[in-house]
Structures are given as C-alpha cells and as structure tokens.
Amino acid sequence: MNRKQASEQIEELRAKLNEHNYRYHVLDEPTVSDADYDAMMRELIRLEKEHPDLVTPDSPSQRVGGEPLPYFEKVNHRIPMLSLGNAFDFDELKDFDRRIKRLGQVETVDYVCELKIDGLAVSLRYEEGVFVRGATRGDGRTGENITQNLRTIRSIPLRLREPVTLEVRGEAFLPHKEFERINAVKEERGEALFANPRNAAAGSLRQLDPKLAAERALDIYLYGIGEVEGTEAPGTHTQALEMLSRLGLKVNPDRVTVKGMDDVMDFVDYWREHRTELGYEIDGIVIKVDDLELQERLGTTAKSPRWSIAYKFPAEEGVT
Ligand SMILES: NC(=O)c1cnc(N)c2cc(Br)sc12
C-alpha cells in the first residue's frame, strides 16, 4: 500500500472509529461489536506506525498519550467558572423565583432543571472542532491543565461534529459500578479506599501519569458554554444544550424546561425519590433561567450567577 492509499485508509478508519465511539459512549447506542472496534483500532495503529507523520492529535489512537507530567500547568479561565448559590427547601426556591421576577421585571420565568452531578467541574476547549485543552475548575479563575487525562474519557470527543471554536463546561464523574470496581482493587492491594465517587473522580483526574487515568472509566456530562465562535449563538439555555448535543458532546438527557416554579418543585420531588436509580451520584438539582438575554440582565455576583441556583439534597448515607 503506498502513502496515499495508507492516508485514505487511515482517514476512513478514524472516521469510523470516532463515529462508533460517539454512538457507544455519547449516545449509549453501540453499533459495532467490541471485536470489530478493536480490529479497526489495531489496523489504524499499524498504519500510523508505518506512517508516523500521518498521526494527528484527534486520531482515536491518541487517547492515552504522553509521558507522566512533572506537574500540572496552570490555566486561566477567561470567563470565570462560578459556583452556585444553594437552596435547601422550597421556600428558598420561591424566594429565588420572586427575586428573578423583581430584578428582571418579568411576570413569568422559564426555567431549565438539570441534575447536579457530584463529580469534578472541568472546562474543555475546542479549536475549529479539535479538542486542544482541558482544565479543572480550580478556584474558578485558575485551574490545572489536565488535558492528557481528559483525553482518556471516551465520552469526550477528540473532534466535534462541526469545526467550531468553543469552551464548554461540565462535570467529570465516576459511575457507581466503576467506583466500586476501583475500591475493590484498592482493597485487594491493601490500599486506602476512596470515600466516595467524587473523591475517586478527582483522584483519577489528578494523576500525573495519563495511563493511570485511562484505567479509570470516567464519564462526563457537559452543561455550560464559556466562549463560542463560528456558530449561531443560542437564545436560550435549552438551545445551548441542544447545540452541545448536536456537536457530539454528552449532555444529560434527564432535564426539563418548565414555566414557573411549581413544575421545578415537581422535578425536584421526582429526583429526590429516584436519584438512586441513576447509577451515578447527584447532590441536587440545578435550576437556571432559560432566556439568555434575561440571564445577561440579571448578571452575576463575584461568587455566583443571579440566574441560577442549586437545590441541594441531603447527603446520602454512604454510597449504595
Ligand atoms: N447541569 C448543570 O448546570 C450542573 C450539573 N452538575 C453540576 N455539578 C454543576 C455545577 C455547576 Br456551577 S452547574 C452544574
């Protein structure tokens, strides 16, 4: 096979592997057997070994790259990653709703309700569709560059389905099953166990050796946009989430857009009862004003946005 044929074959294998990875890890709808996937990956790696100059950072063969880092570089978040104000009962939610109507001078408010994932907040930067950098939230203004570790999360696409430049925010987390597997291995080795999935996720993403992070089947849900270029800016948060999904990013399907606080409280009540069925930890519900122009008008305090609040569930006794 000459170089041109190899290049075409490599392109075709990359496209197929990226598509199957998207269907398996983002849509949870696998379309090929593991055996077929592995065979295509072995062929891609073989061809890239013969033509190393054809390797690109978005190749599916490049998920577990690099040598262990001596330390993590610092990353400044141009748009701060703010935290959320908390509500612990429905009276506080009603106060939040009244404040939005007063400050926003509106009679009714559309809210988006999303599950508050109990993991590690991270930021992903894509340039012309290619994943170029990932960072922890840190203190909201400065985080750590953990790109190598985030590349090992299979539900993070190394290339978006459209060549846009944007920075997205989300929560990396460990599903219960993976958390229990990791702790079982630690127990066998006589090592200290992780106290909960959040600590295990943070510990996994803070490994300086990406091969260790790659051994942990972390997952992620994206839920916010920082900077964005090269595509139509959405008018509502609902449309922003649909855009992330269209780009091939994993967005949590258990969300609703509702009119007024009564339906928000119904959503909170439902997930207070059913959160143990999810297979991963949530510690509450995030409620956001849907209209982005109203969000803009409401603005943020130094710590958190005025247009969003987290309804917190009481801590679960131990992790089932
Ligand atoms: N869907 C969301 O907005 C969401 C989910 N899970 C979380 N841990 C957080 C944290 C912030 Br800050 S927003 C958010």
Side-chain angles (χ1 to χ4, degrees):
M1 184 189 301
N2 67 34
R3 179 180 156 75
K4 184 173 177 311
Q5 288 165 325
S7 173
E8 285 162 2
Q9 177 75 335
I10 282 174
E11 281 307 314
E12 190 184 327
L13 283 166
R14 272 185 201 150
K16 281 181 180 170
L17 286 162
N18 280 332
E19 182 63 15
H20 292 314
N21 189 73
Y22 169 68
R23 290 181 182 284
Y24 187 101
H25 291 283
V26 178
L27 301 183
D28 293 340
E29 294 165 7
T31 47
V32 289
S33 68
D34 291 356
D36 290 351
Y37 185 92
D38 293 347
M40 283 193 281
M41 181 65 87
R42 276 196 305 277
E43 177 60 4
L44 173 65
I45 290 169
R46 187 186 70 75
L47 288 169
E48 287 181 343
K49 272 210 176 71
E50 279 178 18
H51 305 273
D53 56 316
L54 292 177
V55 176
T56 57
D58 68 314
S59 174
S61 65
Q62 303 303 303
R63 277 208 178 267
V64 186
E67 292 310 308
L69 297 171
Y71 57 89
F72 290 120
E73 285 173 6
K74 292 297 177 204
V75 168
N76 287 323
H77 302 299
R78 268 179 271 183
I79 298 179
M81 291 178 73
L82 298 178
S83 53
L84 293 172
N86 290 329
F88 294 94
D89 59 41
F90 283 171
D91 285 343
E92 290 181 83
L93 282 190
K94 289 169 189 167
D95 291 345
F96 170 73
D97 185 42
R98 276 190 288 274
R99 195 163 56 245
I100 299 286
K101 288 171 178 169
R102 176 168 46 80
L103 293 175
Q105 297 180 315
V106 290
E107 304 281 303
T108 60
V109 185
D110 285 4
Y111 291 109
V112 183
C113 302
E114 299 173 70
L115 303 181
K116 188 169 182 297
I117 314 299
D118 194 6
L120 193 79
V122 296
S123 154
L124 308 179
R125 180 166 175 75
Y126 287 85
E127 287 175 358
E128 292 170 28
V130 177
F131 179 49
V132 294
R133 191 189 68 197
T136 63
R137 175 182 178 279
D139 64 6
R141 282 162 177 71
T142 304
E144 292 175 321
N145 185 327
I146 55 165
T147 306
Q148 289 207 108
N149 289 341
L150 289 170
R151 291 176 68 85
T152 70
I153 300 181
R154 293 299 187 279
S155 45
I156 291 180
L158 298 180
R159 176 186 284 275
L160 298 175
R161 300 172 80 77
E162 293 168 29
V164 299
T165 295
L166 86 166
E167 187 238 337
V168 286
R169 278 98 193 262
E171 201 86 1
F173 66 95
L174 264 180
H176 285 156
K177 276 201 177 51
E178 182 65 2
F179 167 69
E180 283 145 20
R181 182 193 70 78
I182 290 166
N183 263 354
V185 169
K186 278 181 165 296
E187 189 150 27
E188 267 167 38
R189 293 176 181 165
E191 293 170 5
L193 306 187
F194 283 117
N196 56 51
R198 183 185 64 254
N199 290 3
S204 303
L205 285 171
R206 285 216 198 92
Q207 293 291 332
L208 287 164
D209 180 353
K211 289 178 187 55
L212 295 179
E215 289 168 7
R216 310 271 175 85
L218 288 152
D219 203 343
I220 193 167
Y221 282 119
L222 283 310
Y223 51 65
I225 297 178
E227 303 158 278
V228 56
E229 298 162 30
T231 186
E232 182 73 17
T236 65
H237 181 64
T238 302
Q239 290 162 350
L241 293 178
E242 285 159 0
M243 180 183 86
L244 294 184
S245 205
R246 190 185 73 238
L247 291 172
L249 292 160
K250 192 164 186 177
V251 179
N252 197 300
D254 291 314
R255 61 184 193 266
V256 291
T257 303
V258 296
K259 276 193 185 323
M261 207 35 91
D262 291 347
D263 288 354
V264 169
M265 293 186 281
D266 290 349
F267 188 84
V268 168
D269 280 339
Y270 179 85
W271 287 106
R272 194 201 319 272
E273 297 313 312
H274 293 268
R275 60 176 165 152
T276 53
E277 298 160 22
L278 286 165
Y280 56 87
E281 284 297 289
I282 65 169
D283 59 350
I285 302 297
V286 178
I287 298 132
K288 299 173 188 170
V289 166
D290 191 32
D291 182 283
L292 295 186
E293 185 274 332
L294 179 52
Q295 284 190 12
E296 189 74 23
R297 278 198 292 121
L298 291 164
T300 69
T301 66
K303 257 175 30 55
S304 51
R306 288 193 188 89
W307 42 266
S308 178
I309 196 164
Y311 182 97
K312 298 285 284 189
F313 291 141
E316 251 184 338
E317 297 310 313
V319 176
T320 47

